[in-house]
Amino acid sequence: MLPFAYQAFSAVVHEGSFYKASLLLSVTPSAISHSISQLEKDLGFPVFVRNRAGAELTASGRTVLPLIQDVVNSQGRLQQEADRINGLSIGSVRLGAFSSTCINWVPPIIQAFHEKYPDIQVSVYQNDFNAITQAVKDGTIDVGFTSLPVNENLQVKQLIRDEIYCIAPKDFKPRSSMEVTAADLEGKSFILQQGDYDRDTKAALDHYDIRPNSIQFSIDDQSILAMVEAGLGFGILPELALQTISGNVQVFPFDKRFYRTICMVTTRTGAKSPATQRMMKQVEEYVEGEYGGK
């Protein structure tokens, strides 16, 4: 920060008196006097001569005037640049997202963000829940989408509860036309992504006693639907993943409801960045607009 003595010096030069300088800087005249005295002590010579008209620069004061003013002007330029950054005309933010958020959320979020802050660079990193959480913790990304629980010491904002559904071949007929039960799934095999055999998805499969040897792994959500459509097994996908993929399949809720809670994570230090703060706000605005209180 700029030493106050330099501000006081510049103000006295501009206003022509200690009293007017104190009004300009919203301090007492004695504070101005003390600061100028300290500056003169540091420099080793007087910079002002007081008279009835106010204060005038000494010859030595005139010599150092451009040097001190240059420091004051540099501080002003620095503050303007800081204000510009805080106003987010420049900057960058790194966003981490897993598959379904990357497909469904990230494009409209970034589009709206760029309309507000066109000079902010946004980069996107896609991976699974655990990798995104770790990347936020490591500081390699600024904001990440993941699901609860988050065991790392991160700042967590819950966004939505995303229901998990059973994906069945078109010729499948459950005992209930509305939902699938344990009896419907007995002896069935499931297809899912390797990274999805975790957390709430695993809880659903465990509840219906779906053993690991009855699970096949696919590379992405659309591949899962294609394999289910071909009669190679059943799928398990959350609602968000079903928004932009399609197939000749049936979607049923389980008779016991399962949800994953999607959240946004960042570090407490990272959240202080102006660009990160604005991105987090943009995410919250998008989710609120799309889902309300879901």
Side-chain angles (χ1 to χ4, degrees), residues 203-256:
L205 293 171
D206 289 348
H207 176 78
Y208 292 103
D209 200 29
I210 306 299
R211 302 299 183 183
N213 59 5
S214 299
I215 298 173
Q216 306 173 56
F217 294 107
S218 183
I219 57 174
D220 56 36
D221 296 338
Q222 186 62 61
S223 297
I224 291 172
L225 264 67
M227 294 174 75
V228 172
E229 185 176 350
L232 300 178
F234 284 61
I236 180 168
L237 288 171
E239 183 176 358
L240 184 60
L242 296 168
Q243 290 185 1
T244 53
I245 57 178
S246 61
N248 190 24
V249 298
Q250 300 181 84
V251 178
F252 295 99
F254 293 99
D255 62 344
K256 174 179 170 58

Side-chain angles (χ1 to χ4, degrees), residues 2 17 37 65 67 91 96 141 216 239:
L2 181 69
S17 78
S37 296
L65 171 61
L67 300 175
I141 61 176
Q216 306 173 56
E239 183 176 358

Side-chain angles (χ1 to χ4, degrees), residues 13 39 42 63 87 92 110 146 170 177 183 219-222 249 261 266:
V13 171
L39 176 63
D42 292 342
T63 300
S92 65
I110 292 181
T146 186
K170 202 65 178 178
S177 61
I219 57 174
D220 56 36
D221 296 338
Q222 186 62 61
V249 298
T261 301
T266 186

